[in-house]
Structures are given as C-alpha cells and as structure tokens.
Amino acid sequence: MEIVICKTKEEASKLAAGIITAAVQKNPKIILGLATGSTPVPMYNEMAKAVKAKKVSYKQVKTWNLDEYVGLPGTHDQSYRYFMNKNLFEKIDIKLSNTHVLNGMAKDPVKECAKYEEQIKKAGGIDIQVLGIGSDGHIAFNEPGTSLNSRTSVVYLTPSTIKDNARLFFKGKENEVPTQALSMGVGTICEAKKIILLAFGKNKADAVKGMVEGGMSQFCTASALQAHNDAWIFCDEESASKLKLRNYYAWRSATKLGL
Ligand code: GLP
C-alpha cells in the first residue's frame, strides 16, 4: 500500500486524475472500475477537464462501477447510474454502451451479479479500480463482517451507512435509502491490477487508520488492500491525521511519485 498525503482534497484529486489520464493515454482501451460518493467528484472533474483540453479520449475505454441500490432504476436521480452519467460520463467522450453499472431493478439479482463478474472477466479484468471508503471502513457496499474473499452479490447496508448516504443522496431522509444493494465483492475488487482509493475529511480518519494500520480484518473491508501489491491511497491531511507513520508514508510516496 502506498499512502499519498496531500494538503487538500483538490491537490490529491489532481494527482489521482493525472495517474488515470496518463494510463488512458498509454492504453486507450483501458478497463476502469469506478466509484460513486462525494469523494471522487473532484477527480472526475479533473478527468473531464483533460478530455475537454483534448489531452485524452475515453472513446474506447470500458468501465464497470462498484455498486447500485436495489430497487432504484438508472433513471432515478438517487441511483448510482444516474450519478455516474451526471458526474462523469456526460462530461467525457465515453460511449454510454461501454459503461456498466449493476442493475438494481434486475428480476434475478443473483444472476445479475454473476453476469457482472463474467463481463469483467471477459473484458480481461479491471486495470485501475477507483475506490472511496465508508466511515466504517467499507469499500463499495462491503460492510463490516463481509468476507474479504466475497464476490459480487446482494448485500445489506448497515444503519451507519444508511445515515451517511442519506445525507448526500436522499436529502437527509434515512427511510428513503434502500436497505439493500448489489455490490462488487472485496475479492472482486482486489483482483484489479491497480487500485486508487481516495479518502478525504475528518470523518474518514478512523477508517483510514483501520485500513492502513489496523490488522487485515473483515470488520474493515478496506484493510484487504493491505494484501494488494499496487494499491494507492490518496488522503488529505484530515483523513491521514490519525496515522502513526504519516510522515514516513508521505515521504515514501512523494519519492516514488517523483514529487
Ligand atoms: C457509499 C458507496 C461507497 C463510497 C461511500 C463513501 O457507501 N457505496 O463506494 O465509498 O459511499 O461515500 P462518500 O465519498 O460520499 O463519503
């Protein structure tokens, strides 16, 4: 795990977007795994700027998203499909048919999850997986207690995630947040060749501490990244504030990135 500690989320988002832009320039047919939530939005804006400036094209890029709420169609303004269209896909030159988000309305959700796994496998696997982190240390919707080997499946949200996400997606109304989701598994996520996780703000400091300096445990599913050999964690000063070795991580990653 490499921990990149930046002063601000804007700085971290620019750095992370730069890595993705360079990777797409190098491999225009790259397979990206994408995330929702407020955290990646500044990075998506930076990626869109690079497209606008004609530095890069996503015409041949294919994407698979991490998760989707059960019971929300892609047209619903709180669905993750809708979020991705608005916050990234409509701002870059990607073909919508090359973008994949789990179907929360699938008649057979188990089959939908199996199909998703098959599609990713057929595409050759995910080259770069973007992740956020929940305040309880979850990645995608893999809540505490999920096996670190889990595959894409139907999952239940914890009350704390429902509360966190209501704030953002459901205008504070917790009872409107679906209690179930379809989510890539921890095992699925960890098969990505490279991982870029973004964590910003005080609210993520405990989760970052658990992910980086806690033991690998199903009670902080992001800790599975400790066993990945190309995982990059982009923090701002607030989210990194509880890390014991933060000065060492900052120095080491800056050296590796040539900063
Ligand atoms: C949801 C998503 C996660 C995301 C998390 C954090 O639970 N399923 O993929 O990382 O929210 O969201 P935010 O970035 O808004 O804090």
Side-chain angles (χ1 to χ4, degrees), residues 35-40 66-67 69 80 131-135 138-141 161 165 167-169 203-204:
T36 51
S38 56
T39 306
L66 287 171
D67 43 16
Y69 290 110
Y80 282 174
L131 294 174
I133 184 168
S135 59
H138 73 247
I139 46 175
F141 269 130
T161 295
N165 292 1
R167 166 188 56 87
L168 232 196
F169 288 91
N203 189 35
K204 301 292 170 73

Side-chain angles (χ1 to χ4, degrees), residues 9-19 42-43 46 49 234:
K9 67 175 179 189
E10 289 75 20
E11 201 184 305
S13 303
K14 267 191 195 157
L15 259 182
I19 291 176
M43 183 186 79
E46 292 296 328
K49 268 193 212 162
F234 286 82

Side-chain angles (χ1 to χ4, degrees), residues 92-257:
I92 59 176
D93 59 347
I94 200 163
K95 283 190 194 147
L96 218 52
S97 57
N98 281 344
T99 69
H100 305 81
V101 181
L102 283 150
N103 177 8
M105 297 298 284
K107 277 209 181 80
D108 186 339
V110 175
K111 217 169 161 185
E112 169 70 9
C113 294
K115 190 180 88 187
Y116 209 65
E117 289 263 342
E118 257 326 290
Q119 282 178 342
I120 295 172
K121 210 164 134 195
K122 233 173 126 189
I126 289 175
D127 293 303
I128 303 181
Q129 176 67 58
V130 175
L131 294 174
I133 184 168
S135 59
D136 59 3
H138 73 247
I139 46 175
F141 269 130
N142 295 292
E143 298 283 30
T146 306
S147 161
L148 301 186
N149 289 319
S150 64
R151 309 301 307 183
T152 305
S153 58
V154 185
V155 298
Y156 286 84
L157 275 56
T158 59
S160 85
T161 295
I162 289 176
K163 193 166 167 235
D164 281 354
N165 292 1
R167 166 188 56 87
L168 232 196
F169 288 91
F170 294 87
K171 301 179 181 79
K173 292 182 188 148
E174 283 177 42
N175 58 359
E176 281 188 25
V177 183
T179 53
Q180 279 180 290
L182 305 183
S183 175
M184 263 193 211
V186 183
T188 320
I189 291 168
C190 288
E191 280 169 8
K193 293 169 194 103
K194 186 183 198 73
I195 292 182
I196 292 180
L197 184 145
L198 308 169
F200 305 138
K202 270 204 302 276
N203 189 35
K204 301 292 170 73
D206 285 321
V208 167
K209 169 90 181 150
M211 162 174 65
V212 176
E213 293 179 344
M216 229 168 97
S217 152
Q218 59 181 343
F219 289 96
C220 173
T221 53
S223 67
L225 304 189
Q226 290 176 17
H228 195 280
N229 58 19
D230 197 11
W232 291 76
I233 315 299
F234 286 82
C235 298
D236 61 1
E237 281 185 346
E238 287 184 341
S239 69
S241 62
K242 295 198 175 168
L243 293 174
K244 235 193 210 159
L245 297 181
R246 62 180 178 281
N247 292 338
Y248 167 66
Y249 303 138
W251 164 77
R252 190 179 64 184
S253 62
T255 309
K256 286 196 180 177
L257 288 172

